[in-house]
Amino acid sequence: MASTAPHSLQASSRIASKDPQFKPSSDSQVSHSISFSSQLSNFSLKSSQSTTRQLHSQRISAAVKTESNSGTTGVDISLSPRVNSVKPSKTVAITDQATALAQAGVPVIRLAAGEPDFDTPAAIAEAGISAIQEGYTRYTPNVGTLELCSAICHKLEEENGISYTPDQILVSNGAKQSILQAVLAVCSPGDEVLIPAPYWVSYPEMARLADANPVILNTHISENFLLDPKLLESKLSEKSRLLILCSPSNPTGSVYPRELLEEIAQIVARHPRLLQFIRALHPYSACGIEL
């Protein structure tokens, strides 16, 4: 009678993996430790087009096969088609490459991930430290604490002249979380998400995670990279579900004037199933409106 063969499985999600091989420690007792490795640290931008094709064609799929006296056992750890449809972030890849060059002593001007070029202001850092020391480390309501939501309402009214109540405010960990959850909340498989280009690289992948299809609407430098309402209307169909606008635009910096937004809003209003998501990157110039 074959002895029991306990298995220890240690797997880390990477870009690609090869089938691991097992070597039993003995005939009577088999203990397996599995490790997958295929990191992005060797990523190279020598040929951006070929690299992109390689990244797009790779899919994470591995089946672990163990052999012991009792026979062969297969463990399927392949990822879902939804996850496999998501392409690696070019922003993260370029950021990692820039970091590696900087660590090697190469002077680098970073134009990938957007973040401030200064340290967190001392007052904010000290407030965070004090909050931790005072025990503010527990779970909070999913929408944010009442005190924080009330403070946001006060800020919006005092500085922007718009009124909201705390129950209309939802605090997230950042724009990526908010936008992804909004897309997941309203999109169904087969829906279309309309995205003006140039665009933030995460938008199409968010649509794919929701089993929706990104529809790219090209803009032109001659029109300051602003969406042409006629182009928008020509691309609408019964599957159109969400229009994502970003003002000021990431990455072009273009700001949508009020008149253009009103024209786009009229088109959206004629299609009851079409929703409009506006991402405002600056509290004082959101959507080209003086707040």
Side-chain angles (χ1 to χ4, degrees):
M1 180 177 179
S3 59
T4 303
H7 307 299
S8 173
L9 177 62
Q10 299 175 344
S12 57
S13 178
R14 308 291 170 84
I15 293 298
S17 61
K18 295 182 178 179
D19 292 338
Q21 299 295 324
F22 292 91
K23 296 182 179 180
S25 56
S26 67
D27 293 336
S28 59
Q29 183 176 5
V30 182
S31 177
H32 303 311
S33 177
I34 312 165
S35 178
F36 301 95
S37 64
S38 176
Q39 300 179 346
L40 196 60
S41 58
N42 294 327
F43 181 83
S44 174
L45 295 180
K46 292 181 179 179
S47 174
S48 59
Q49 293 183 347
S50 62
T51 301
T52 301
R53 285 195 296 269
Q54 291 174 2
L55 287 174
H56 288 184
S57 64
Q58 289 169 337
R59 293 294 181 265
I60 305 173
S61 180
V64 180
K65 296 182 178 180
T66 65
E67 294 185 2
S68 64
N69 293 338
S70 60
T72 300
T73 303
V75 181
D76 183 0
I77 60 171
S78 58
L79 299 183
S80 69
R82 177 186 290 111
V83 173
N84 277 329
S85 71
V86 177
K87 300 177 177 63
S89 169
K90 297 181 181 68
T91 303
V92 173
I94 296 173
T95 300
D96 289 346
Q97 181 73 1
T99 300
L101 291 172
Q103 291 175 345
V106 178
V108 176
I109 299 176
R110 297 173 182 264
L111 298 176
E115 60 181 352
D117 59 356
F118 54 85
D119 293 336
T120 301
I124 298 176
E126 291 169 2
I129 294 172
S130 297
I132 294 173
Q133 292 175 337
E134 293 171 10
Y136 290 96
T137 57
R138 305 295 182 181
Y139 286 120
T140 62
N142 288 341
V143 298
T145 64
L146 178 61
E147 295 81 3
L148 176 56
C149 293
S150 298
I152 293 173
C153 290
H154 177 76
K155 181 269 178 194
L156 292 173
E157 186 167 10
E158 291 292 316
E159 298 184 12
N160 305 100
I162 51 180
S163 298
Y164 288 94
T165 57
D167 62 337
Q168 295 175 299
I169 303 296
L170 188 148
V171 181
S172 74
N173 293 310
K176 185 170 288 188
Q177 177 194 350
S178 292
I179 300 171
L180 174 59
Q181 289 181 331
V183 173
L184 290 171
V186 302
C187 289
S188 300
D191 281 346
E192 293 178 348
V193 178
L194 300 140
I195 306 169
Y199 51 80
W200 186 36
V201 296
S202 296
Y203 291 149
E205 308 315 315
M206 293 176 179
R208 293 186 179 98
L209 275 176
D211 288 333
N213 300 315
V215 176
I216 307 303
L217 308 177
N218 290 317
T219 63
H220 305 282
I221 190 172
S222 60
E223 298 174 348
N224 200 24
F225 295 115
L226 297 174
L227 176 61
D228 183 352
K230 294 180 181 178
L231 174 63
L232 169 62
E233 196 151 25
S234 70
K235 295 294 185 180
L236 293 178
S237 71
E238 60 181 13
K239 295 182 179 180
S240 300
R241 180 57 172 160
L242 189 63
L243 167 65
I244 298 180
L245 287 183
C246 184
S247 181
S249 171
N250 177 1
T252 68
S254 299
V255 177
Y256 280 80
R258 181 190 294 270
E259 295 78 13
L260 180 54
L261 280 177
E262 290 176 347
E263 189 174 354
I264 292 174
Q266 291 174 1
I267 295 174
V268 173
R270 293 197 292 269
H271 296 79
R273 193 171 182 272
L274 178 63
L275 303 176
Q276 180 170 306
F277 184 100
I278 297 182
R279 180 188 180 195
L281 294 180
H282 194 285
Y284 299 102
S285 60
C287 308
I289 301 174
E290 186 74 22
L291 297 179

